[in-house]
Amino acid sequence: MTPTETIAAIRADARFQVACDRLRADHDRTVTDVVTLTEIPSPPFGEEKRAAAYLEMLRAHGLEQVEQDEIGNVMGLRRGFGNGDILVVAAHLDTVFPAGTDVRVRREGTKLFAPGVSDDTWSLAVNLAFIRALDAAGIRTRHDLLFVGDVGEEGLGDLRGIRHLFAKGRHRERIRAFLTVDSPEVERIVSGGVGSRRYRVTFRGPGGHSYAAFGLVNPMYAMAEATRALAAVPVPQSPPTTHCVSVVSGGTSINAIANAVTIEVDLRSASAAELERLDTRFLEIVNEAVATENAARSTASGAITAEIARVGDRPAGETPEGMPIRSLAAAAVAAEGYAPHFEFSSTDANVPMSLGIPALKIGAGGRGGRAHSLEEWLDVEPEESLRGMRTSLAAILALAEMEQVG
Amino acid sequence: MTPTETIAAIRADARFQVACDRLRADHDRTVTDVVTLTEIPSPPFGEEKRAAAYLEMLRAHGLEQVEQDEIGNVMGLRRGFGNGDILVVAAHLDTVFPAGTDVRVRREGTKLFAPGVSDDTWSLAVNLAFIRALDAAGIRTRHDLLFVGDVGEEGLGDLRGIRHLFAKGRHRERIRAFLTVDSPEVERIVSGGVGSRRYRVTFRGPGGHSYAAFGLVNPMYAMAEATRALAAVPVPQSPPTTHCVSVVSGGTSINAIANAVTIEVDLRSASAAELERLDTRFLEIVNEAVATENAARSTASGAITAEIARVGDRPAGETPEGMPIRSLAAAAVAAEGYAPHFEFSSTDANVPMSLGIPALKIGAGGRGGRAHSLEEWLDVEPEESLRGMRTSLAAILALAEMEQVG
């Protein structure tokens, strides 16, 4: 069967219809769940409370081997009838919002406003709805479904939850494919994982009086040299590869040579090889800039040094065209009348992509916006939400190989 | 008479001896005055209270035309017998310490500890002691002595008090020479006024996401280009000329192109012409860096601009070798057994120097240290203090042309 035929067969199946009816009947419950979860703060590196609540929800949904791993991910297994291969269906527990952010949900009509409500708390609730729908319809799949609420997707979390799942998780050997349900829109499928390396580089020197110590090496100039050199590094447009000196600070007084100047640098690429090349070049640039400054001015009171801290490392990867996971997901999207398109982004799917494991980011259904801002919103209007949920449920079933289909 | 002979004649004069006796007899009073004045806070741009107190002290010392000018300087005239030419004897009222600093004086033996006590409050008190000594000895001078407590010597005060005195002060046409008594040490005579231009330059651009908006102009790179270019500008060692990018800040997040990056820049020279040349070159560099960045990347979302604020402007100048004021001051220092040396610095004397008016910074006597720090101290041990006071009093009398000498 073609991917389109597979999706059509699933959608035509009476059991799928029962599952969809259950999604509809359960919609208010799903909305209640997203409100409950959203109002449990889950700041970066502070996902414990939400993780504990979600663990209980997974348990209440009858999954097996419900547990929290060492890094903080919570998960449970819905057994398949096959050989134990696993399709992961994940959503991330963390938000970008710091502890103390007001996370109460305000509702206006079908719109919910709250930090984190659409990214990615909605997906946590929708994945539970999927479990209930599958159970209500008695749907079995060949592969085990491992439902995961993972930590550390955002920012400096550096994908540590999913990284751990693949590096040390007890199921890691059996994961055959990976879906992260992240944000509402289903037509935007992420098949390319933009990798990043992030650095904080501090140039240090002896400092001194701007006038009396004139001629001494100045970390400001090493910083400027490195910044300018990075700006000039050519990068391919495809795979998209970028660099940015984003933040700078240093110096204490207008009449003093700075002791230290710090830059924060963001390097990204959709290609692991390009990212590696850029990363290597950047580190060379820093060392060259230090050497240039130490040669340009006096080191009599001390030389310039650079302290390089890697503060972020997300692997690049891609689920390339031609992989069945892509065509099945696209067919599921198209079957609901959406126009699927594939994007590059940085999500939990980066990790399996970088390991060559088929992986995508798909949507939870509904509409949302202003993610990462205090005005973040989610529209749970039932028709659009259910249309999206059906889309992703069909994709999951195609990938997990729904029993008696095809 | 040679300068040495002139000083010797003054020192040998019986009236000078009476004056010195009075300095000695009055020493406790002078110390009381420095404590009183030090304990009146006089932060940058907040000299009013100390100025009011000093105004009353000048009045109590029997000066004429005691007044406060529009900018805040307080002053009074001790008339000479000549044609009304004036020798200014100034000390500055302001300290570097912000409002709220604890300015209480702590005494340990002959040492006084307090912010501002030696720079320059001691000189305010010593100048009053000079008036009392001259009066006690009945010494008359050819030139009028204009005793000034001036505002705005420190930092961003930018010499505004003395600048005003020479630009708009009612005595300005008659000022023949200028002495600022600043800090205790008498052997360090400042004859070169290091001028400075200080800038705060903010490079602005459209900003954007570090990845999604890659390729847009980045103010960070314009900053780096300008910084690097200034670092490479050649400057003469003599007259000493320097440049420094001292402070930098900009950017908000590692994953964003900055909207704004600001640098603070200090340009100095002992030569007005060199300072002007450096200043012109720096402004060119800023504009070139902006143009370079706007040519290097896309301005589709907006171009880089630079906002240039001049935050400091102190004129350069010099009282060159061969001027009588230098040799007389040096002879007065040598007569007390000190080894005089001439220095470049940035003091109130910069202003008259830049106008070609003979000017020096001289000392008040005694010893001090840690100026501009909270541990600032002044040692008022009588012998060393009186030795220094005699030195500067002799220099003042030589310059003001003491009656019946020479």
Side-chain angles (χ1 to χ4, degrees), chain A residues 199-249:
Chain A
Y199 288 96
R200 186 174 296 125
V201 179
T202 300
F203 298 90
R204 295 186 196 282
H209 194 280
S210 61
Y211 176 72
F214 178 70
L216 295 187
V217 287
N218 185 336
M220 192 73 70
Y221 302 150
M223 174 282 291
E225 181 64 35
T227 295
R228 204 173 140 278
L230 179 63
V233 171
V235 285
Q237 269 204 300
S238 175
T241 304
T242 68
H243 45 64
C244 188
V245 180
S246 312
V247 179
V248 68
S249 65

Side-chain angles (χ1 to χ4, degrees), chain B residues 2 29 34 43 46 56 109 121 125 185 207 233 249 270 279 341 378:
Chain B
T2 66
R29 154 97 187 259
V34 71
E56 287 315 308
T121 322
E185 296 74 16
V233 171
S249 65
D279 184 87
H341 48 101
L378 170 71

Side-chain angles (χ1 to χ4, degrees), chain B residues 123-138:
Chain B
S123 305
L124 292 168
V126 168
N127 284 352
L128 297 177
F130 290 158
I131 299 169
R132 294 192 301 274
L134 294 176
D135 289 350

Side-chain angles (χ1 to χ4, degrees), chain A residues 346-366:
Chain A
S346 179
T347 71
D348 273 335
N350 279 41
V351 177
M353 285 173 186
S354 76
L355 300 169
I357 295 167
L360 298 174
K361 179 207 81 69
I362 62 174

Side-chain angles (χ1 to χ4, degrees), chain A residues 59-363:
Chain A
R59 205 186 306 278
H61 280 72
L63 298 181
E64 296 180 34
Q65 298 184 33
V66 173
E67 64 176 343
Q68 182 164 35
D69 67 14
E70 303 86 338
I71 202 93
N73 301 315
V74 294
M75 66 194 81
L77 211 57
R78 187 173 190 276
R79 287 248 182 245
F81 58 84
N83 62 2
D85 281 358
I86 289 174
L87 171 67
V88 174
V89 180
H92 64 87
L93 291 162
D94 57 315
T95 72
V96 297
F97 301 96
T101 303
D102 182 354
V103 291
R104 282 173 302 179
V105 176
R106 178 169 58 84
R107 184 158 184 165
E108 290 182 14
T110 57
K111 268 176 125 173
L112 308 181
F113 292 83
V117 65
S118 70
D119 177 13
D120 186 31
T121 322
W122 178 229
S123 305
L124 291 168
V126 168
N127 285 353
L128 297 176
F130 289 159
I131 299 169
R132 295 194 300 275
L134 294 175
D135 289 349
I139 293 174
R140 299 179 66 204
T141 56
R142 176 174 306 280
H143 305 313
D144 295 359
L145 293 173
L146 182 66
F147 287 93
V148 180
D150 60 275
V151 296
E153 195 269 349
E154 298 285 6
L156 294 177
D158 232 14
L159 314 182
R160 74 180 188 288
I162 294 305
R163 213 188 271 273
H164 181 88
L165 193 78
F166 282 94
K168 301 194 175 161
R170 70 147 115 171
H171 304 292
R172 68 184 186 282
E173 308 276 353
R174 298 190 293 121
I175 299 173
R176 178 194 174 94
F178 177 95
L179 293 172
T180 180
V181 187
D182 192 349
S183 76
E185 296 73 16
V186 294
E187 61 271 52
R188 299 175 62 177
I189 302 167
V190 173
S191 58
V194 177
S196 63
R197 299 277 168 84
R198 290 170 168 186
Y199 288 96
R200 186 174 296 125
V201 179
T202 300
F203 298 90
R204 295 186 196 282
H209 194 280
S210 61
Y211 176 72
F214 178 70
L216 295 187
V217 287
N218 185 336
M220 192 73 70
Y221 302 150
M223 174 282 291
E225 181 64 35
T227 295
R228 204 173 140 278
L230 179 63
V233 171
V235 285
Q237 269 204 300
S238 175
T241 304
T242 68
H243 45 64
C244 188
V245 180
S246 312
V247 179
V248 68
S249 65
T252 52
S253 168
I254 198 167
N255 59 4
I257 299 171
N259 285 97
V261 178
T262 298
I263 51 174
E264 295 183 9
V265 176
D266 187 40
L267 310 176
R268 303 199 192 195
S269 180
S271 150
E274 287 295 340
L275 184 58
E276 196 58 41
R277 191 171 302 133
L278 179 58
D279 184 85
T280 302
R281 182 69 197 114
F282 173 65
L283 297 178
E284 285 169 5
I285 280 171
V286 169
N287 290 327
E288 288 163 7
V290 167
T292 298
E293 180 59 12
N294 283 331
R297 270 163 282 276
S298 167
T299 57
S301 298
I304 300 294
T305 59
E307 185 183 308
I308 302 174
R310 187 186 276 184
V311 295
D313 181 8
R314 296 171 168 233
E318 189 172 4
T319 295
E321 234 179 300
M323 273 206 170
I325 191 173
R326 276 178 68 141
S327 31
L328 286 168
V333 168
E336 282 288 349
Y338 297 107
H341 48 103
F342 291 99
E343 299 182 355
F344 281 94
S345 183
S346 179
T347 71
D348 273 335
N350 279 41
V351 177
M353 285 173 186
S354 76
L355 300 169
I357 295 167
L360 298 174
K361 179 207 81 69
I362 62 174

Side-chain angles (χ1 to χ4, degrees), chain B residues 84-284:
Chain B
D85 281 356
I86 289 174
L87 170 67
V88 175
V89 180
H92 64 87
L93 290 162
D94 57 316
T95 72
V96 298
F97 301 96
T101 303
D102 183 352
V103 291
R104 282 172 300 178
V105 176
R106 179 169 57 84
R107 184 159 184 164
E108 290 181 15
T110 57
K111 267 176 124 174
L112 308 181
F113 292 83
V117 67
S118 70
D119 178 13
D120 185 28
T121 322
W122 177 230
S123 305
L124 292 168
V126 168
N127 284 352
L128 297 177
F130 290 158
I131 299 169
R132 294 192 301 274
L134 294 176
D135 289 350
I139 293 176
R140 299 178 68 205
T141 56
R142 176 175 306 279
H143 305 314
D144 294 359
L145 293 172
L146 181 67
F147 288 92
V148 180
D150 60 275
V151 298
E153 194 269 349
E154 299 285 3
L156 294 176
D158 231 14
L159 314 183
R160 73 180 189 289
I162 295 304
R163 214 187 271 274
H164 182 87
L165 192 78
F166 283 95
K168 300 194 175 161
R170 68 147 114 170
H171 303 291
R172 67 184 185 282
E173 308 277 354
R174 297 190 294 120
I175 299 175
R176 177 195 173 92
F178 177 95
L179 293 173
T180 180
V181 187
D182 193 349
S183 76
E185 296 74 16
V186 294
E187 62 270 54
R188 299 175 63 178
I189 302 167
V190 174
S191 57
V194 176
S196 63
R197 298 279 166 83
R198 291 171 167 185
Y199 288 97
R200 184 175 297 125
V201 179
T202 301
F203 298 91
R204 296 185 196 280
H209 194 281
S210 60
Y211 177 72
F214 178 71
L216 294 188
V217 287
N218 186 336
M220 193 73 67
Y221 302 149
M223 174 281 292
E225 182 64 35
T227 295
R228 205 173 139 279
L230 179 62
V233 171
V235 284
Q237 270 202 300
S238 174
T241 303
T242 67
H243 44 64
C244 187
V245 180
S246 313
V247 179
V248 67
S249 65
T252 52
S253 168
I254 198 167
N255 59 4
I257 300 170
N259 285 98
V261 179
T262 299
I263 52 174
E264 295 183 10
V265 176
D266 187 39
L267 311 176
R268 304 200 192 194
S269 180
S271 149
E274 287 295 340
L275 184 59
E276 195 58 41
R277 190 171 302 134
L278 179 59
D279 184 87
T280 302
R281 181 69 196 114
F282 173 65
L283 298 177
E284 284 170 5

